[in-house]
Amino acid sequence: MKNNNKWTVRDVITTVLLTVGLILIQLVINMVCMVNDFASMVLSVGITMLLCAPVYFLMVSRVHKRFVSLIYMTILGLVFLIMGNWYLLPYYMLVGVICEAILWKNGWESKKKMTLSWTVASLLYNGVNLLPLWFFWDTYETFALQSGMEQSYIDSFVRYYSSPGWLAFIILFTTVCGFVGSLIGGRLIGKHFKKAGVL
């Protein structure tokens, strides 16, 4: 039986590689969805959480240790820091801490706890768009314009995320997608990952 506290080099490599995979999935979805404002601002985060859920389940189940979620979220935050959105690093670290609290007592052995962890993460993931609008607008606008975003895109961003109706839909859609992705991840763990010897 594995020691649930002691990390190995293999655990570190697995966590980093799967984290890179999760971030690449997110970047690809963001790039594809950028062709349409509605897809980018309303659907992209939900689609990301849906498709990333099975990889997250695999990572947590395979490493079988505490702090996997925190490491993933910290690395994700560092990517945003490098891109110029410094405020997302402490935010995603906080999300990681919340996920760890949910999984703390051998949560990697419970599909229900992993589902709750990823569903909560999906809900909080909307902070990537809400934080700049509410607290760091000047930083975000400067970053957006320097990245080549058109003013029309920025105006659409403000319109969607300042509308109570659209905001409620986006948050609900993202959370539901995370939950559905978790159900898929749980089924894959039981039916495919274990049989294939991945776990």
Side-chain angles (χ1 to χ4, degrees):
M1 186 174 179
K2 285 187 177 182
N3 184 325
N4 289 332
N5 296 315
K6 186 176 180 181
W7 278 70
T8 66
V9 173
R10 181 179 180 181
D11 292 330
V12 174
I13 292 173
T14 300
T15 302
V16 172
L17 287 178
L18 290 177
T19 292
V20 171
L22 286 164
I23 293 173
L24 287 176
I25 291 172
Q26 176 184 335
L27 292 176
V28 169
I29 293 172
N30 287 344
M31 289 174 59
V32 171
C33 290
M34 280 289 287
V35 299
N36 179 271
D37 288 354
F38 175 79
S40 178
M41 296 165 199
V42 178
L43 303 179
S44 64
V45 177
I47 295 172
T48 296
M49 305 317 286
L50 175 67
L51 297 182
C52 285
V55 182
Y56 175 78
F57 268 59
L58 173 62
M59 179 172 66
V60 172
S61 299
R62 184 167 176 77
V63 177
H64 223 70
K65 300 286 193 308
R66 291 171 179 166
F67 306 119
V68 173
S69 298
L70 179 58
I71 292 172
Y72 158 54
M73 291 294 179
T74 299
I75 293 175
L76 178 62
L78 287 170
V79 171
F80 280 107
L81 173 65
I82 293 170
M83 294 170 62
N85 297 309
W86 60 267
Y87 49 87
L88 289 176
L89 174 57
Y91 177 75
Y92 278 120
M93 290 179 70
L94 176 61
V95 175
V97 169
I98 293 172
C99 291
E100 290 298 332
I102 295 172
L103 298 171
W104 191 251
K105 293 185 178 181
N106 296 341
W108 48 84
E109 297 176 354
S110 169
K111 292 181 183 178
K112 289 183 179 180
K113 287 185 178 181
M114 286 191 287
T115 296
L116 178 60
S117 173
W118 189 251
T119 302
V120 170
S122 300
L123 169 65
L124 297 177
Y125 206 93
N126 287 290
V128 70
N129 292 318
L130 294 177
L131 285 179
L133 184 62
W134 291 348
F135 304 110
F136 305 101
W137 180 248
D138 291 340
T139 301
Y140 174 80
E141 188 174 30
T142 300
F143 162 76
L145 292 173
Q146 289 178 348
S147 300
M149 296 182 186
E150 297 181 357
Q151 187 62 47
S152 59
Y153 180 90
I154 298 174
D155 293 341
S156 294
F157 173 86
V158 174
R159 185 173 69 253
Y160 278 115
Y161 281 92
S162 61
S163 166
W166 277 117
L167 183 57
F169 176 81
I170 292 168
I171 292 174
L172 179 61
F173 176 73
T174 304
T175 306
V176 170
C177 282
F179 176 72
V180 172
S182 297
L183 297 181
I184 296 171
R187 289 178 65 86
L188 287 174
I189 284 177
K191 288 192 172 183
H192 299 286
F193 293 155
K194 287 183 179 178
K195 289 181 180 179
V198 177
L199 296 177

